[in-house]
Structure formats: C-alpha cells, structure tokens
Amino acid sequence: MFTYFSWINNLYVCLFIICSFVICAQSDVPRPRGVPLSKAPLYAANKDFTCFDGTLTIPFAFVNDDYCDCFDGSDEPGTAACLNGVFYCTNAGHRPQNIPSSRVNDGVCDCCDGTDEYATQEGCPNICEELGKEARYEAQRIAELHKAGNSYRLELIEKGNKKRSEMGEQLAQLEKDKAEAEKIKLEKETLKNELEAKENDVLKVYREAEELERQKKAEEEKEQMIKEATEFFNKYDKDNDGILTKEEMMEISLFDRGNDGEVDEDDFKYFINDNDTVDKETFVSTTWSMVKPLQMMQQNTFKAPADDDDEHEPEPDDEPYDISKEVANEDTETEDENADVGPHEDAEELDEADEEPVQKSTYDEETQKLIDEASEARRQYTDAERTVREIEANMRNIQDNLEKDYGLQQEYATLDGQCLEFEDKEYVYKLCLFQKVTQKSKNGGGEVGLGNWGEWAGTDNNKYSAMKYTNGVSCWNGPQRTTTVAIQCGLETKLLSVSEPYRCEYKMEMSTPAACDELSLPQHSSHDEL
Ligand code: MAN
C-alpha cells in the first residue's frame, strides 16, 4: 500500500514540475494574443476565422482588432472589446490562467507573467517563477502531509470497517435476543392473564360481600336517622297530630339561629321555607338534615369545617362528631374497596408491579396466595416488556449508526462521538462528531446548542470536505443556529478555528488524518486550461 501511494505522490510532484517546462516550451507556438495553446489551431492566420458559436465567419484580420464581431467574444481574446471575452495568460513557471478580457489593459496586473497589461509603458513584472516556486513548495508540503497522514487514515479505515462489521454482528445478535425476549414476554403475558383471571374470580366473592356489607350499613344509618328525626319531631309535636306548627316550633331553641332568644320569621323561613307548618314526613326527609348539625354543635359533637371553626373550638379531650369525616370515611371505604380489588383486569394500569394492591390481612390464605402469584406474574411481565423495549432501543441506535455515511471507506466511523474543544476569548466550543455542536460562555451559563449532526456538505468534487450541523437553539429573533465544519488533512483530529461569520451561523475548521487522501489531491496536468 505504502509503495502504491508513494508512487502516486511522486508522480504527482514530477508531473507538476514537468508540466511547467512543457508549458514553457510550448508557449512559443505562434497564436493571437490571449489564446490558449489548445485553441491555437482555431486561429489559423491563413484562413478566415469562424466564431466559436458558429454564427459568423470573419477575415482573420478582424481577430483582436479591438472590435467585437462574435456574440461569444471569441474574436477578441486579447482585447477588452468583447464583454464576454476570455484572456488566457500562459504564466510560464506557474499555473496558466483565464481572466475576463475586460481586465486586459485595465491598469491592474492580473496575470503573474504581466501579459494582460501589454499596453501600458511600465507594464507588469513577470513574477511567475517566484509564485510558481511558492506554489510548488506548498504543493509539496501538502503532498507530504497527505502522505504522512495517509498511514493514520489507513488505520482509521481498518478500525472503521471493523466497527461497522461489529455493529452488524451486534444487530444480528440483538435480532435473536429480541425474538427470544418477545417469546418470554408472550409467555409471561399468558401466565399473568391466567393468574389474574383466577385472582379476579376469588376477589369477586370478596367484592360482593363487601358490597352487601356497605348496603347494610347504609340501611342501618338511614334507619337510625329516621329514628332520631322521628323522636325529635314527636318531642315537639305536643298535640301529637303529626304536624309541627309555628307555635310548636317556637319551643325548639335550636331553631333560634340568630341566638336572639326567640324563633322568628327568618328562622322559620330557613327551616320550613314559606310554609306555616311542617309534617312529620317532610321533617324527617328534609328539615332534619338542617337540624341535626345544629343539634350536634349544641352537644359539642360537631367539628365545624376549618374555615369557621373558631367559634366552635372543641375541647381537646373531646371526641367530636365529624360529619365531613363520616363522608370521608365512606370515600376511604370505597377507595379501600378498590384497593382490595386492585389486581383485577385493570391491573395493567398499575405503574409498578411492586405496588401492593391488597391489604394482606383482609384475605384468607388461599386468596392471598393467588393474589401474590398474580402480583409476581405482573412483575415478571413488566420486566419482560421492559427487556423487549431496551433491546429495541439498542437496535434503533445501532441501525441509526449503520445508516450514517462515515466516508467512502468508513474512515470517519471511529470518530463518531469523539468530542473536540476549542476556546476563544468568550466561549468554549465543543464539537462531538456526528452528534452535536455546543457553545458555553466563559462567564457562566449553560451550553447552547449550535446544531445537531445533519449531513456532509462539501464540494461536488469531495462531499466529505465539510460537515453540516443543523437545528441548534434558536437565535433571538432569528433562525436556529447552524454550524459548518470545514475538514482538512492533518496528523491529528482537532479543531483549528471557530468563527461566527454571520450571526448564529458558525464555522469551524477541523483537521483529521481521515481527510488525508493522496488520491484526492487537486490534479495538475499539462492541459493549459484552468
Ligand atoms: C449568544 C451567542 C452568540 C450569538 C448570540 C446571538 O450570545 O450564541 O454566538 O451571536 O447569542 O444573540
């Protein structure tokens, strides 16, 4: 491999040097001013000249007569007469050049051999030898850099290919693991469903018994309430006619809500609306619910709601009756009931299998055993499900990486995830290759995302000469931040510079041996066109 690349390299340097001599030797071939050697035969002095676009044939004397005849400017290569003309300078000793013919004799030296300024007295010096020497020196330096970096690049290629094939193997293994994990998940699900069905059956008996119990209790409470209300009513229904009149009600001190020593019209309005009397049935079903709390308060067994309990502060030792608590208890009972029923068909909704849905003491040994078994089955199913999810996430990750373009020969594959830092006066920049770019102010504050891996964005000749990171944090009143990383050959993978040429558009320069490809060096040939 080394011999092959060295040979190419030497060939390139030799070609470059030989070409310069060839151009030197051929630059004497007679042709009109500004015409490249390759086009000399089209300008034969003994023939009429035909414009390159074929639209017109003119006497040869019209060529370079400072008058534009051809639409394509081909008759005036050596003057500024045609707007679209092209002037060719041989630049012997350096690279030939094509310049717009409008620059001919414009007082500015464009060609290093000075041929574009032939009309001025002082002319332009020929500095091609000097520039050519510098260019050859630079070309030599770059060729040597590429040669030196190439061996590192070959290592990167080897490692990259290895990494890729390992990823392929991992993926194949994960496929197998996934199939196995899915099988286990299905088994666990079947087992869980079976055990939950059994569990549900036994809990049904408990739920029914509890429901009966609840209904019985409610019935008893209702009876008790009717009893109390009736007793109260009878006590004040002096004439025992089943109706409380206003006179009879005036005896009920509880009705004196204003505490002014008498039961007045306002009080009546409150308890019996605009009626004059209340019968026993209405009293029991409606009025009693207003009277009872007052009675309890009077007996100091009512704990008023937090807001207005100042006036009725219960004694610390008292065990106050709390009507709201009674309601709350009912709620709790309902919740408990649900909790007991916990491991029923809705069990999937439980977040974690370790959540204890039952109060063990509530159930007989056999029921408890079934509940425990179902809980364990739920736990195992959740675990199996998680395992499948984890394998799938791993697979997605590897698949994403396998889809990434790591260069023609995988030379960039091992650089994925490698982070490079660069500090300037204000910021620390971090480029994590194929992942993201961030910026952190030295004055504190968090990292600002300057873009996530997007795509290769080099030239048509070499798309791997630049990377683009897009969709960074939005700029204030502006677009999302983006970063372009220009890549060049270097013996180390590192950041060389960071700049922000336009607001929130960042430019990084990075060197890496992955870019040291001798074969991709610009090709110089004996061809005299640019
Ligand atoms: C921050 C930095 C700068 C950027 C401005 C835009 O200060 O991210 O690079 O130019 O925000 O407001």
Side-chain angles (χ1 to χ4, degrees):
M1 195 59 98
F2 171 79
T3 339
Y4 173 70
F5 283 115
S6 307
W7 182 81
I8 292 281
N9 186 41
N10 291 339
L11 179 70
Y12 153 69
V13 175
C14 290
L15 272 177
F16 187 76
I17 294 164
I18 292 165
C19 288
S20 306
F21 287 114
V22 172
I23 288 161
C24 237
Q26 291 186 344
S27 60
D28 289 341
V29 173
R31 56 196 193 269
R33 195 193 296 274
V35 173
L37 188 66
S38 61
K39 288 186 181 150
L42 300 174
Y43 293 87
N46 54 353
K47 283 191 202 157
D48 286 345
F49 174 76
T50 300
C51 306
F52 290 174
D53 60 9
T55 52
L56 193 66
T57 297
I58 52 175
F60 184 73
F62 288 9
V63 172
N64 279 345
D65 67 347
D66 210 11
Y67 181 83
C68 191
D69 297 288
C70 300
F71 288 117
D72 62 6
S74 54
D75 65 311
E76 294 297 318
T79 76
C82 294
L83 286 176
N84 52 348
V86 176
F87 180 86
Y88 173 84
C89 19
T90 309
N91 289 345
H94 192 31
R95 287 186 209 105
Q97 201 179 353
N98 281 316
I99 61 166
S101 60
S102 58
R103 294 192 194 163
V104 171
N105 293 326
D106 65 348
V108 178
C109 303
D110 293 289
C111 302
C112 66
D113 61 6
T115 51
D116 60 311
E117 294 300 320
Y118 57 85
T120 52
Q121 253 182 359
E122 55 280 14
C124 289
N126 184 338
I127 53 168
C128 289
E129 273 306 327
E130 208 178 312
L131 291 186
K133 211 167 143 191
E134 276 171 28
R136 281 188 292 279
Y137 179 77
E138 180 60 7
Q140 179 77 32
R141 189 189 69 78
I142 289 179
E144 274 164 16
L145 183 64
H146 276 257
K147 189 177 151 196
N150 198 57
S151 54
Y152 293 110
R153 180 171 179 272
L154 293 176
E155 273 175 34
L156 287 174
I157 290 173
E158 198 184 321
K159 285 187 194 154
N161 279 310
K162 196 163 161 238
K163 184 177 170 185
R164 259 189 99 93
S165 65
E166 277 169 8
M167 284 196 292
E169 284 161 21
Q170 276 168 14
L171 198 59
Q173 182 58 47
L174 284 171
E175 292 276 8
K176 284 188 203 154
D177 293 353
K178 188 183 161 196
E180 182 62 23
E182 265 169 349
K183 209 174 113 205
I184 295 174
K185 181 181 151 189
L186 195 65
E187 283 166 14
K188 298 291 178 195
E189 190 175 12
T190 312
L191 184 66
K192 175 180 85 82
N193 291 345
E194 274 169 21
L195 290 172
E196 278 183 343
K198 284 188 196 167
E199 177 192 54
N200 224 17
D201 285 347
V202 289
L203 286 178
K204 216 162 145 193
V205 177
Y206 277 87
R207 281 201 295 275
E208 282 165 6
E210 275 163 6
E211 178 57 20
L212 280 178
E213 182 62 27
R214 200 188 60 74
Q215 280 171 8
K216 200 174 139 211
K217 205 173 153 208
E219 207 52 49
E220 281 169 9
E221 278 170 3
K222 197 176 164 196
E223 273 168 27
Q224 174 64 16
M225 189 272 290
I226 293 171
K227 194 173 157 237
E228 273 181 40
T230 310
E231 276 171 15
F232 189 93
F233 183 91
N234 290 343
K235 187 175 161 194
Y236 291 97
D237 180 19
K238 297 286 186 215
D239 54 9
N240 217 7
D241 63 351
I243 287 171
L244 279 184
T245 59
K246 282 188 177 174
E247 285 76 38
E248 284 167 331
M249 282 187 270
M250 283 167 108
E251 298 303 312
I252 307 173
S253 62
L254 274 178
F255 278 24
D256 178 14
R257 292 176 62 248
N259 250 338
D260 55 3
E262 62 165 2
V263 179
D264 54 24
E265 280 307 316
D266 279 349
D267 298 322
F268 288 132
K269 199 169 168 48
Y270 177 75
F271 289 103
I272 58 169
N273 271 332
D274 287 329
N275 302 320
D276 289 332
T277 59
V278 57
D279 61 48
K280 196 187 272 185
E281 201 185 322
T282 314
F283 184 86
V284 171
S285 65
T286 313
T287 320
W288 179 244
S289 63
M290 291 182 256
V291 180
K292 171 79 178 174
L294 298 170
Q295 188 197 45
M296 285 192 295
M297 255 193 289
Q298 198 182 53
Q299 292 164 356
N300 212 1
T301 53
F302 179 77
K303 187 170 182 285
D307 272 348
D308 52 8
D309 63 358
D310 292 352
E311 293 167 36
H312 318 284
E313 200 76 73
E315 290 302 312
D317 289 334
D318 279 346
E319 186 62 68
Y321 178 84
D322 183 350
I323 200 162
S324 58
K325 201 166 162 189
E326 210 170 60
V327 176
N329 279 342
E330 272 172 29
D331 288 345
T332 324
E333 273 164 30
T334 325
E335 273 169 26
D336 286 346
E337 196 175 72
N338 287 339
D340 291 346
V341 176
H344 57 70
E345 55 273 20
D346 289 335
E348 286 100 44
E349 285 168 22
L350 293 173
D351 273 343
E352 290 296 328
D354 55 359
E355 190 171 317
E356 192 52 78
V358 289
Q359 289 171 349
K360 289 192 173 165
S361 57
T362 321
Y363 304 106
D364 63 62
E365 212 177 298
E366 197 154 325
T367 307
Q368 189 58 54
K369 193 168 161 257
L370 276 172
I371 292 170
D372 289 347
E373 280 172 3
S375 296
E376 175 59 15
R378 273 188 290 277
R379 197 188 60 72
Q380 288 191 14
Y381 171 71
T382 312
D383 283 355
E385 211 182 16
R386 190 183 304 123
T387 306
V388 172
R389 276 204 307 271
E390 280 168 5
I391 293 174
E392 282 172 345
N394 257 337
M395 287 174 69
R396 268 197 305 279
N397 198 16
I398 294 179
Q399 266 155 352
D400 284 352
N401 285 345
L402 279 172
E403 276 163 25
K404 277 186 196 162
D405 181 351
Y406 288 129
L408 287 177
Q409 294 172 282
Q410 312 307 324
E411 60 272 32
Y412 286 93
T414 54
L415 300 184
D416 189 343
Q418 190 170 323
C419 297
L420 314 170
E421 282 195 3
F422 186 89
E423 276 187 38
D424 67 10
K425 269 199 230 140
E426 262 187 272
Y427 301 105
V428 177
Y429 292 90
K430 193 152 87 178
L431 162 64
C432 293
L433 288 158
F434 296 96
Q435 309 286 331
K436 61 177 184 172
V437 184
T438 57
Q439 175 198 56
K440 197 170 187 311
S441 169
K442 287 182 172 174
N443 298 325
E447 282 187 340
V448 176
L450 304 188
N452 299 314
W453 165 246
E455 58 185 354
W456 289 104
T459 56
D460 286 345
N461 284 345
N462 179 15
K463 74 165 174 169
Y464 301 107
S465 60
M467 287 173 159
K468 190 111 187 160
Y469 291 78
T470 51
N471 297 327
V473 173
S474 288
C475 207
W476 190 74
N477 257 350
Q480 283 183 289
R481 289 169 168 80
T482 55
T483 304
T484 305
V485 184
I487 301 176
Q488 57 178 265
C489 163
L491 300 184
E492 254 182 88
T493 299
K494 64 176 183 187
L495 278 178
L496 304 172
S497 73
V498 180
S499 56
E500 191 182 345
Y502 302 100
R503 193 165 153 262
C504 296
E505 283 181 30
Y506 302 84
K507 188 167 188 295
M508 295 183 153
E509 286 180 310
M510 177 189 119
S511 71
T512 175
C516 299
D517 183 2
E518 287 167 300
L519 296 172
S520 75
L521 283 176
Q523 296 296 306
H524 295 269
S525 72
S526 58
H527 202 269
D528 53 9
E529 298 292 333
L530 277 184

